Amino acid sequence: LHLSLRRQRQMCIREAFIGSRWFYAICFAGLFVVETLIALFVRDAFIRPYMGDVLVVILIYCFVRMFITRPLRWLPLWIFLFACCIETLQYLQLVTLLGLQNCTLARVVLGSHFHGGILFAMLLGVCLCFLSDGKRKIIYVFTSLEKEIREMYL
């Protein structure tokens, strides 16, 4: 029984951390470092264009969640729409229209190449955000249900 209570307390602490601003800040910082390393050193046809865009959607999600801790059910969808807008601007060659084609930072941040397959990579990132939120909610429901049952019978 003592071991069970300790495990339950550790689960509650872990759940409180996962939904906290610090969790999202740490995830954001880690993903930012990974994205920067990909942008600077990876020159291939899969990791940089596709995995980088999966991660950038999750990066944006973590950034927003650092400031908004209450549950936002449709946040991943809004982030996907934002990413689609950025891809549309890449299709319209915004960097060139603004005369920033020689600015490396503008080309990295805004992007300079459009590819329809990237939208699927971003959709995968959004799905991962939805799944992570859903899993956390399911864990919360079961642990709170377990607490209520334990309080009723103990």
Side-chain angles (χ1 to χ4, degrees), residues 67-108:
F67 301 103
I68 302 172
T69 57
R70 65 183 175 85
L72 296 172
R73 183 178 186 173
W74 300 109
L75 178 62
L77 178 64
W78 289 111
I79 290 172
F80 178 69
L81 292 175
F82 172 74
C84 287
C85 289
I86 297 295
E87 283 299 310
T88 303
L89 293 175
Q90 288 177 8
Y91 176 75
L92 298 172
Q93 298 182 350
L94 178 69
V95 173
T96 305
L97 290 173
L98 294 174
L100 299 172
Q101 63 271 13
N102 295 328
C103 179
T104 306
L105 181 63
R107 287 191 358 247
V108 168

Side-chain angles (χ1 to χ4, degrees), residues 108-124:
V108 168
V109 172
L110 295 175
S112 57
H113 295 68
F114 172 81
H115 188 272
I118 290 174
L119 295 176
F120 290 109
M122 290 184 204
L123 185 62
L124 176 64

